[in-house]
Amino acid sequence: MWFGKYLFFVLFLSGLTPSQDKSIAEELKKDLKKRHFSLGFLIQGLADYQAERTLSGNNGFSVPNLRFIVSGQVGDGFNYGAQFNFVASRPLLDARIGYRFNKNFALDFGQYKAPFSYEFLESDGRIDYVTRSQAATLLIPSRQIGLTFRSKLFQNYLNFDFGIFNGNGAGATSNDNDEFMFVGRLSSDIFYVEGKNRNLNIGVNAASSRDSIITFVGDRVFYGGDFRFNYDRFLLSGEFNFFESEATNGAMRDDAAYYLSIGYMVTENLQLLAKYDSYNSITETPSIKNEINNNLYVFGANYTLNEFAKIFCNYIVNADRTDFKHHQLLVVTQILF
């Protein structure tokens, strides 16, 4: 009941009729979306509540994202992109220079997301839930500095990305050793109906690196796959990722995570979702073995107010700790352009 009243209140405050919304959208695109310079932004407000706090942080409100995205084309083939999040300790997220040889082949250089995981590569404002799954946050190469070759083959039926990176994450000024991280992703729209929301995308990923950072010296391997199936109002998606590492001191780590999600558009504006999200980690040293399990049920409701504004509501239950007082409620309101 209270959520319905809240939605009505936000709708009232938005004050935009569909015709006004379309007019403003077209005006903004005309002013801010140019071929040589395009400006976008994402603003999110988050409410987080748990009756008896068992998670990190506290109940209350925060601003997880205040992002500005700048991109454009410079001359024939050259393009650029930069993204900043001004509520992060390191505001610079992406800084990319690209060159497109033709419609099928391109090259990117700079700092950006390594080509791994459909959900990870999707922008924060366009994911299905308030936060990404454990598979797409804990078991991925994340943002890196390096070079990526991108190709679209067989009339865009097959997409292949291959990158060479420093391997020590974003923000590092140089490589931590003389080795590199190699990341590859192969994806395809197996099933696609033009003009309708009917498609099946399948992808596989792999990455490996040898690291010499302060906290870890040794070899790391990531691998996994994902799928996303849309059929009119129905959505089914999933992802599974694995991570293995072996340190020079004999310590070993073996992680696995996956999620399965279903969704249905009840109306043109309201989507209901449910997801099972599982994570398992085993760490072994010559003397100690430690195992971590975290299994979640996530229920979501997404309401689109207009072309720019959207509300996400997630109710999270830990499958291993189902007491009502430990349930978590997340509500995000966002403006995305």
Side-chain angles (χ1 to χ4, degrees):
M1 180 64 71
W2 67 269
F3 185 60
K5 292 180 179 179
Y6 178 68
L7 281 176
F8 178 79
F9 181 65
V10 175
L11 279 166
F12 175 76
L13 288 179
S14 67
L16 294 177
T17 66
S19 59
Q20 290 175 320
D21 176 30
K22 184 177 180 180
S23 174
I24 293 175
E26 291 175 351
E27 189 174 334
L28 276 173
K29 290 176 182 177
K30 181 180 178 181
D31 292 338
L32 302 179
K33 302 290 185 182
K34 308 290 186 180
R35 180 174 179 268
H36 300 297
F37 180 83
S38 176
L39 177 64
F41 55 85
L42 170 65
I43 305 171
Q44 289 182 328
L46 170 67
D48 181 355
Y49 179 77
Q50 192 177 33
E52 184 176 303
R53 198 76 192 181
T54 59
L55 303 170
S56 60
N58 301 300
N59 293 338
F61 306 94
S62 63
V63 179
N65 280 301
L66 176 55
R67 298 193 182 199
F68 286 85
I69 305 100
V70 180
S71 62
Q73 298 182 34
V74 182
D76 294 332
F78 284 98
N79 57 81
Y80 66 92
Q83 182 175 187
F84 306 86
N85 188 2
F86 291 103
V87 298
S89 57
R90 290 180 175 177
L92 178 63
L93 298 178
D94 301 324
R96 176 191 58 78
I97 297 173
Y99 182 78
R100 179 165 293 281
F101 299 95
N102 52 50
K103 64 179 182 180
N104 294 323
F105 300 100
L107 198 66
D108 284 337
F109 172 76
Q111 175 177 296
Y112 46 83
K113 293 179 178 180
F116 193 102
S117 166
Y118 182 99
E119 188 183 26
F120 170 65
L121 293 172
E122 190 65 274
S123 65
D124 274 31
R126 300 188 187 279
I127 57 178
D128 297 324
Y129 295 85
V130 172
T131 58
R132 290 179 174 85
S133 66
Q134 296 174 101
T137 52
L138 301 177
L139 307 185
I140 54 169
S142 195
R143 280 181 165 87
Q144 301 287 340
I145 298 176
L147 185 73
T148 301
F149 172 76
R150 307 183 188 277
S151 62
K152 294 180 179 293
L153 305 174
F154 306 111
Q155 297 182 337
N156 296 337
Y157 178 77
L158 189 66
N159 301 318
F160 176 67
D161 297 347
F162 178 75
I164 303 175
F165 302 94
N166 288 339
N168 50 335
T173 56
S174 62
N175 200 353
D176 55 4
N177 57 18
D178 293 326
E179 305 289 343
F180 296 98
M181 170 180 279
F182 301 94
V183 185
R185 175 172 173 80
L186 184 68
S187 64
S188 177
D189 284 318
I190 302 295
F191 166 72
Y192 176 75
V193 178
E194 188 174 356
K196 294 186 178 181
N197 187 34
R198 297 180 183 178
N199 67 284
L200 170 61
N201 181 274
I202 295 178
V204 292
N205 325 274
S208 66
S209 68
R210 178 167 292 177
D211 302 287
S212 302
I213 58 178
I214 297 175
T215 56
F216 178 81
V217 179
D219 298 317
R220 297 186 298 162
V221 176
F222 304 81
Y223 56 98
D226 49 71
F227 73 92
R228 187 176 182 86
F229 175 60
N230 287 284
Y231 194 88
D232 297 335
R233 294 175 176 265
F234 177 76
L235 167 67
L236 178 66
S237 63
E239 184 167 338
F240 56 91
N241 289 330
F242 302 91
F243 169 77
E244 298 175 1
S245 69
E246 184 174 356
T248 54
N249 63 5
M252 300 179 66
R253 181 176 162 185
D254 190 356
D255 291 12
Y258 72 92
Y259 80 86
L260 184 64
S261 173
I262 59 173
Y264 186 76
M265 293 296 302
V266 180
T267 68
E268 185 178 346
N269 299 88
L270 177 63
Q271 181 184 37
L272 299 181
L273 302 121
K275 173 174 69 172
Y276 182 72
D277 188 345
S278 177
Y279 170 67
N280 173 262
S281 175
I282 299 176
T283 305
E284 294 185 68
T285 67
S287 57
I288 300 174
K289 180 177 180 179
N290 184 47
E291 183 171 359
I292 299 173
N293 287 287
N294 193 38
N295 303 301
L296 308 172
Y297 298 106
V298 185
F299 305 94
N302 302 332
Y303 193 87
T304 302
L305 299 171
N306 53 54
E307 186 168 340
F308 311 106
K310 194 171 183 177
I311 295 176
F312 300 80
C313 182
N314 285 182
Y315 192 81
I316 305 170
V317 179
N318 192 310
D320 305 310
R321 201 168 184 177
T322 57
D323 294 352
F324 176 76
K325 61 185 178 181
H326 297 145
H327 296 184
Q328 184 184 19
L329 177 65
L330 299 174
V331 179
V332 162
T333 56
Q334 79 169 28
I335 301 292
L336 172 66
F337 175 75

